[in-house]
């Protein structure tokens, strides 16, 4: 599924974030920037130790912020590491922090002249954010950003498994 937003493209695909040929891929990291499971584990396995070496030097990333490292052996030249919120009940700033994680990743891309990037579904794995809610926030935040930032040509959401893909497809129709 793909839609045009201003001069940019917003794409939804079902697949594996480590296989993307966008200039950057976004990692669903933790504040300590220590290798975990899910997307983080997959990116570090596929990209090799250089990613973690650079991440360790950076050391920390607050929830809702983003940092950048090499893409190591990935096709993507860069990994943008962002930290989504751990979901409690949705009343502890989770929606704002999730939107911020997407926005700060996009701002990092703009600042580095990166024209294409791939996002996973931040916070909806280990961090427990309900997918239907997270999808709306993710897509709205990216759409709003692209409408004002034509320098980003492509944002691709890479959704793991059919249920997640379908949740995003529904959310894109709703917003
Ligand atoms: N490609 C695309 N999506 C994937 C992949 C993949 N290879 N693998 C899993 N997903 P998660 P979070 C999906 O847990 O909730 C780590 O331990 C997954 O099915 O990766 O933000 C970090 O170190 C789910 O839909 O991220 C943190 O401690 C989505 O990606 C913590 O998990 C996000 O799941 C972050 O948790």
């Amino acid at each position: 599924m793909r839609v045009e937003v201003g001069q940019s493209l917003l794409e939804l695909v079902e697949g594996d974030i480590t296989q993307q040929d966008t200039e950057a891929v976004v990692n669903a990291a933790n504040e300590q920037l220590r290798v975990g499971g899910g997307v983080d584990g997959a990116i570090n396995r596929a990209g090799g130790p250089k990613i973690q070496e650079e991440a360790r030097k950076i050391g920390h990333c607050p929830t809702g912020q983003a940092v950048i490292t090499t893409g190591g052996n990935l096709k993507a030249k860069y990994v943008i590491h962002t930290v989504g919120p751990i979901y409690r009940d949705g009343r502890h700033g989770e929606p704002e922090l999730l939107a911020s994680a997407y926005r700060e990743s996009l701002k990092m891309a703009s600042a580095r002249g990166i024209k294409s990037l791939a996002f996973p579904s931040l916070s909806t794995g280990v961090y427990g954010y309900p997918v239907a809610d997270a999808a709306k926030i993710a897509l709205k935040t990216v759409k709003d950003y692209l409408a004002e930032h034509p320098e980003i040509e492509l944002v691709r959401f890479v959704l793991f498994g059919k249920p997640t893909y379908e949740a995003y497809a529904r959310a894109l129709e709703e917003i």
Side-chain angles (χ1 to χ4, degrees), residues 15-18 28-30 34-40 42 84 120-128 158-160 164:
D16 180 347
I17 192 101
T18 65
N30 53 62
R34 289 271 169 75
V35 182
V39 170
D40 195 8
S121 176
L122 298 172
S123 282
T124 64
V126 174
Y127 282 179
V158 183
L159 291 330
F160 208 54
T164 307

Side-chain angles (χ1 to χ4, degrees), residues 1-2 9-17 19-26 102 106 115-121 139 142 146 152-159 168:
M1 191 168 181
R2 70 173 24 184
L9 269 184
L10 172 57
E11 233 176 46
L12 306 184
V13 303
E14 189 186 333
D16 180 347
I17 192 101
Q19 301 305 310
Q20 304 305 311
D21 58 3
T22 44
E23 275 178 78
V25 295
V26 178
Y102 282 100
L106 291 160
K115 293 181 165 54
S116 63
L117 68 165
F119 279 103
S121 176
L139 291 167
V142 170
L146 290 179
I152 307 271
E153 295 170 0
L154 169 69
V155 172
R156 180 183 296 154
F157 279 87
V158 183
L159 291 330
Y168 274 72

